[in-house]
Amino acid sequence: MPCPYQSLLQDYLEEELSREEMLKMEEHIDLCDECQQKLDTLLDSSLKLHQNSIEIDDEVLVEKIKAHRRGIRRIYVYGTLGFLLGLLSLYYTSDSFIVTKAIMALPYKLAEFMLGIFFSKNQLQQWDLMYNHFQRGMGYFPHHPILGLIVELITPALVAMFLAMIIGYLTSDKRVFQRKRILRFILSGIIVFMLWFGGIYGIYNNTLNKIEALEGIKTVTIYEKQEHSTSWLLRIDQYNLQIEKYLDIISGLSEASPIGNFTSMNYKEGLQLLLQFKGGGETTSHVDIDTGIMFMQNHRHYQLSEETRLQLLAVAREGK
């Protein structure tokens, strides 16, 4: 059954009700979704009539239509400006002017806090292998630098857009933008952020699974690790994969067998590999060249075949 107040909405728009009735209608509209939707429909239909040059004699209604148009335009403009500001917030540390620096830092820090709730466990500790290589920006996606950059750009932009649209909503005419309806907008924003975080989680989790399975290795950079130093030896990528021995090394790494129980290995000396995967994932591993045991960044151990161990040893000697 339709809400009985709907019959009064047209009179409410045209302000033909008494003051007490107007206040009562405003309170009711704030609480009644059905009347809120009907009010929007009336405004939109009147707006279309106005845009089609059909005259509307009621000045009050015309003013509310204009207020509705201004409010919608303000919300979209504020949202667009907020999104652009959020994109630039990544560079807030380089801004020397304290006011703009604070404005730019707000969405970035809010985004960092929100992401930290879900992804802080992904951050590397300072004693992890090649911490300095992987620790970029917020540091929540160390094994997928492309995803990390996208998230670090887009999340503050979404936060800034959301806040700016709320400001646009609150500064619009309250006769046609009821304040309590902001809760619906906030709920919609929460849903958008949850979908965004869910997508990020799915992509990153898929990357970690590929790394664990050593699936899709496309580039290997080999370093010689000594007790107090690390030196670059060789990079195997698309430009030299046509050489059979390099292709065999990548195939051998992909076929390494995970091991649960293992004997002690030499972590201080050996080879250090930077593995980059199709789709953007990357990680490091340490290879004990004497035993062929490979210790991965994910704290798992793998056993290389004897053939792969010897190939790595030969390549390492060539690179010196």
Side-chain angles (χ1 to χ4, degrees):
M1 180 177 178
C3 177
Y5 282 86
Q6 287 193 17
S7 60
L8 300 175
L9 286 174
Q10 187 68 41
D11 292 336
Y12 168 75
L13 273 177
E14 298 174 1
E15 296 188 5
E16 293 182 355
L17 302 175
S18 66
R19 179 176 177 78
E20 292 182 359
E21 289 175 324
M22 290 290 291
L23 292 175
K24 187 176 180 180
M25 280 295 295
E26 287 182 1
E27 292 177 358
H28 172 75
I29 291 171
D30 281 342
L31 300 174
C32 180
D33 290 340
E34 190 176 349
C35 285
Q36 289 173 6
Q37 294 174 3
K38 181 66 175 178
L39 182 63
D40 286 341
T41 301
L42 288 173
L43 282 168
D44 290 339
S45 61
S46 299
L47 175 60
K48 290 175 182 176
L49 290 174
H50 184 65
Q51 289 176 333
N52 291 333
S53 300
I54 296 178
E55 293 186 1
I56 302 176
D57 295 329
D58 194 309
E59 294 182 2
V60 174
L61 179 56
V62 171
E63 179 58 31
K64 287 191 175 181
I65 293 172
K66 291 180 179 179
H68 187 263
R69 293 178 65 185
R70 287 195 300 269
I72 294 295
R73 185 165 56 246
R74 179 183 290 111
I75 290 170
Y76 282 120
V77 169
Y78 281 21
T80 302
L81 293 176
F83 188 84
L84 294 175
L85 174 66
L87 288 176
L88 297 174
S89 67
L90 178 64
Y91 308 102
Y92 79 93
T93 54
S94 61
D95 194 337
S96 58
F97 186 50
I98 188 65
V99 176
T100 55
K101 185 173 185 175
I103 293 174
M104 293 174 65
L106 177 61
Y108 186 88
K109 289 300 181 181
L110 284 175
E112 188 175 25
F113 172 75
M114 293 166 64
L115 288 166
I117 295 174
F118 300 97
F119 303 109
S120 59
K121 65 179 181 180
N122 294 338
Q123 288 181 305
L124 300 178
Q125 303 300 322
Q126 292 187 4
W127 54 82
D128 281 332
L129 291 174
M130 291 192 74
Y131 167 84
N132 292 328
H133 174 82
F134 285 109
Q135 192 65 19
R136 308 180 182 94
M138 297 179 184
Y140 294 135
F141 307 97
H143 297 299
H144 201 315
I146 297 175
L147 177 65
L149 177 60
I150 292 173
V151 170
E152 198 169 349
L153 281 172
I154 300 300
T155 307
L158 291 175
V159 170
M161 180 179 71
F162 181 67
L163 294 176
M165 291 181 75
I166 290 179
I167 294 173
Y169 194 100
L170 293 176
T171 54
S172 298
D173 194 326
K174 67 178 181 180
R175 294 176 300 174
V176 290
F177 293 90
Q178 284 75 31
R179 297 300 178 254
K180 290 185 179 180
R181 293 178 62 187
I182 197 69
L183 296 176
R184 183 188 300 174
F185 178 74
I186 292 175
L187 179 60
S188 300
I190 292 174
I191 293 173
V192 169
F193 278 110
M194 293 305 294
L195 291 173
W196 172 244
F197 292 151
I200 294 169
Y201 175 83
I203 294 172
Y204 193 66
N205 195 55
N206 182 60
T207 298
L208 294 181
N209 289 336
K210 284 186 175 182
I211 290 175
E212 183 174 341
L214 296 174
E215 176 187 338
I217 300 175
K218 68 172 185 177
T219 302
V220 179
T221 306
I222 304 175
Y223 302 84
E224 181 184 24
K225 183 178 181 181
Q226 298 177 346
E227 187 170 356
H228 299 294
S229 64
T230 302
S231 56
W232 182 90
L233 293 177
L234 176 69
R235 178 180 172 87
I236 302 174
D237 55 22
Q238 58 182 335
Y239 299 107
N240 54 15
L241 270 179
Q242 68 274 14
I243 301 176
E244 185 176 357
K245 62 180 179 181
Y246 295 151
L247 185 60
D248 289 342
I249 288 176
I250 288 187
S251 298
L253 291 172
S254 300
E255 295 169 0
S257 303
I259 53 177
N261 299 320
F262 61 96
T263 57
S264 60
M265 61 179 289
N266 184 0
Y267 294 97
K268 295 182 178 180
E269 296 180 345
L271 296 179
Q272 193 157 285
L273 311 181
L274 173 60
L275 307 177
Q276 294 176 302
F277 296 76
K278 296 176 182 177
E282 66 179 46
T283 189
T284 58
S285 65
H286 177 81
V287 177
D288 184 343
I289 205 64
D290 294 325
T291 63
I293 295 176
M294 180 169 65
F295 176 64
M296 296 285 289
Q297 180 76 43
N298 58 7
H299 297 171
R300 294 181 180 273
H301 292 77
Y302 297 79
Q303 179 65 60
L304 299 176
S305 67
E306 180 65 13
E307 180 182 0
T308 303
R309 184 188 75 82
L310 293 175
Q311 287 173 332
L312 282 172
L313 182 60
V315 167
R317 288 172 177 170
E318 290 176 7
K320 291 183 179 180

